[in-house]
Amino acid sequence: MTTELALLTRVSCRGREITGPRLRGLLALLAGDLRTGCGTARLVEGLWPEAERPENPTKALQILVSRARAQLGADVIASTPAGYRLALP
């Protein structure tokens, strides 16, 4: 039995370091299932603890995805019928 553990000191995409914790969280959640991505509800639950949840979490998620696309490239995060997924080759 082999066990694999990877600890990263930095997160980057296309040579740009990702420093924002919420954006890092979004990318981590989406990386959890590269093929199908995550539904909106799962992303909201994973990004905002219930006590810190924004008044309109779906809109807050859309804004976060928009910022991520602006920073990383519009083609990095794709929309799906249920939410979003990473669109990396």
Side-chain angles (χ1 to χ4, degrees):
M1 179 171 118
T2 61
T3 301
E4 189 173 323
L5 173 66
L7 300 174
L8 304 176
T9 58
R10 69 189 272 272
V11 175
S12 67
C13 180
R14 295 180 173 161
R16 297 182 108 161
E17 188 166 1
I18 310 303
T19 58
R22 194 100 48 213
L23 180 52
R24 289 176 109 167
L26 172 65
L27 294 175
L29 287 167
L30 294 176
D33 193 336
L34 293 173
R35 191 172 47 81
T36 61
C38 284
T40 300
R42 171 66 188 106
L43 290 170
V44 167
E45 288 173 17
L47 292 168
W48 290 280
E50 194 161 333
E52 297 175 21
R53 201 151 294 156
E55 187 174 320
N56 187 338
T58 301
K59 184 65 174 173
L61 176 61
Q62 290 169 344
I63 291 169
L64 180 62
V65 169
S66 178
R67 288 182 182 157
R69 287 173 171 161
Q71 184 177 347
L72 306 174
D75 60 331
V76 171
I77 298 175
S79 297
T80 68
Y84 300 94
R85 69 174 181 80
L86 287 178
L88 302 173

